[in-house]
Structure formats: structure tokens, C-alpha cells
Amino acid sequence: MYLESCADLRTEIEDFTGLTFARIQLGWMHSHEKHYKLAFKEFLLAVDSARQSFNSNAEIDALHLCGIAQRSLKNYNLAADYFEQSLKLAVETDYRFVGQIKTDLARMLRKIGRDQEAEVLLIGATEDLQNNDFEGVVARTDNELASTLLNEGNAAEAFEKAKEAYHLADYNENPREVDRAQFLMARAKNKLGQHAEAITILEEMRTRK
């Protein structure tokens, strides 16, 4: 295989920067084929070669990808660990994509019951995304925050945050986050005992499809 041959060659000549990106490409290929264990193996090798090349941005990316692979394997605690490692280095180096990493970490923290930590991260992530001109990604972060607030029993705030996400996603023509926002709005209304309004929101979702 071409990419594996490239990786072998770059290892032989100690081109660790090139090796890092070859490993990442191999990992993406395995991920696309849903071979997440193989993908994780390549991303972990990419972390090692990134460190040998002293390329902090590549190390951040590779650690983040390790977390994504573990998330796909539903190993949420392990995914959170890799996201935390990625985030630590991203904060230390003022990495531009820090908001995305915070959002991914917060999602895992929510899944393993660390809702308060997730909420703090998501509030910071929104600010990071806006400061780095990633307004189009804010809807996803707002939806994560709405989910976290629901977990914490704060349905009223969750509804308002999901509503913000809905308008942002609609403006940015992001149907996936539009649907997710409306679903969260309906869940929040249901938690508030406003069942008729929840049904109306779900009906709007159904008629749009």
C-alpha cells in the first residue's frame, strides 16, 4: 500500500514530520472504513513521531484524533483522557482550534457524568470559537451545552441555549445541528411540562424532512 510504503520510507530516513502526516492519513483511511482500532494505532504512532519532530501542532492533532477513535469505539473515559492531553498542549501553545477540542472533551465528560466540568469547558469553548473566527461551529457547542444543562436538570436554560443553537445553525445552513437543536428544545419543553409545545416542535422537525 502506498501510504504504508511512505511511512516505512520516512521511518528509515528519520523524516518524522512526514511520518506523522503519513500515519494520520493511514488513520483517516482506517476510520473511513470503520476500522477504529487500526485507526487508533496509527494515530498513536503519529503522536510519537510528532513528538520526535518537535511539532506541537501535529501532536495536538494526533492526540485529538486518538480521542476521536476511542470515542468511535465507545471508550468514553479513554477518549476523554486523549482529549485532555490534546487540550493541555493546545492551551499551552495558543492553538487556534482549541475551541473544537474543548467541545469534544466536554461531550465525553457529559457522557461519563462530569456535567459541571463539561459546562465550564463549553462556555469557554464558545468564546474560543468566536475569538478564532469559527462562528459557524458555535451551534454545535451550544447544543452540547444545552444537553449538559438538561443533564443537570436546568431545562429552562437548556431550552434557551438550544434555541440559540437553532438560529445559528439555521443561519449557517447546518441541518444536522438544526435538527439536534430542535430535538433538545422539545426535550426541554417536555421536562418543563409543556408537552403540547414539545409536540409542536417535533412536528415542525417532521414536516421539514
Side-chain angles (χ1 to χ4, degrees):
M1 183 184 294
Y2 172 73
L3 283 172
E4 289 177 343
S5 298
C6 285
D8 290 341
L9 177 60
R10 293 183 187 283
T11 301
E12 186 177 334
I13 65 175
E14 297 187 349
D15 174 13
F16 296 115
T17 298
L19 178 60
T20 300
F21 292 107
R23 292 295 186 196
I24 286 174
Q25 289 298 316
L26 278 165
W28 274 121
M29 182 191 70
H30 290 310
S31 292
H32 181 72
E33 296 172 349
K34 302 187 186 305
H35 298 154
Y36 300 119
K37 288 184 179 179
L38 291 173
F40 172 71
K41 178 182 175 182
E42 294 297 341
F43 293 144
L44 196 58
L45 288 169
V47 172
D48 184 61
S49 55
R51 287 171 177 165
Q52 292 184 72
S53 66
F54 303 100
N55 187 331
S56 59
N57 284 357
E59 183 180 348
I60 292 165
D61 289 341
L63 286 166
H64 189 200
L65 289 166
C66 283
I68 291 171
Q70 289 299 331
R71 181 180 69 195
S72 297
L73 291 165
K74 302 189 184 304
N75 297 327
Y76 298 138
N77 281 286
L78 199 51
D81 181 61
Y82 281 106
F83 287 145
E84 283 180 321
Q85 291 181 57
S86 179
L87 178 59
K88 183 177 184 293
L89 189 54
V91 170
E92 289 173 357
T93 58
D94 293 322
Y95 190 53
R96 187 166 179 259
F97 298 96
V98 66
Q100 287 90 329
I101 301 170
K102 284 183 178 180
T103 300
D104 282 341
L105 172 57
R107 182 182 177 194
M108 292 301 97
L109 294 179
R110 175 173 61 80
K111 283 184 174 292
I112 61 178
R114 293 162 60 182
D115 294 316
Q116 290 184 337
E117 294 171 73
E119 182 181 348
V120 172
L121 271 175
L122 289 163
I123 292 168
T126 297
E127 184 177 346
D128 290 325
L129 291 168
Q130 291 170 337
N131 289 342
N132 288 294
D133 300 319
F134 291 120
E135 286 86 356
V137 188
V138 172
R140 175 173 174 256
T141 300
D142 281 349
N143 274 332
E144 285 295 336
L145 182 52
S147 292
T148 302
L149 290 166
L150 277 171
N151 282 5
E152 293 176 316
N154 196 337
E157 277 193 45
F159 176 79
E160 292 302 323
K161 187 55 62 176
K163 187 177 177 182
E164 287 178 30
Y166 170 80
H167 289 300
L168 281 169
D170 186 50
Y171 177 78
N172 289 294
E173 299 181 347
N174 186 339
R176 178 177 179 177
E177 295 302 332
V178 165
D179 285 347
R180 189 177 179 208
Q182 284 196 295
F183 179 69
L184 289 166
M185 289 163 65
R187 279 187 62 200
K189 286 293 185 184
N190 194 52
K191 292 279 188 183
L192 291 165
Q194 299 169 6
H195 307 302
E197 292 181 47
I199 291 170
T200 298
I201 293 168
L202 292 173
E203 280 296 312
E204 184 182 333
M205 285 179 63
R206 186 183 64 80
T207 56
R208 191 178 63 250
K209 292 185 181 296

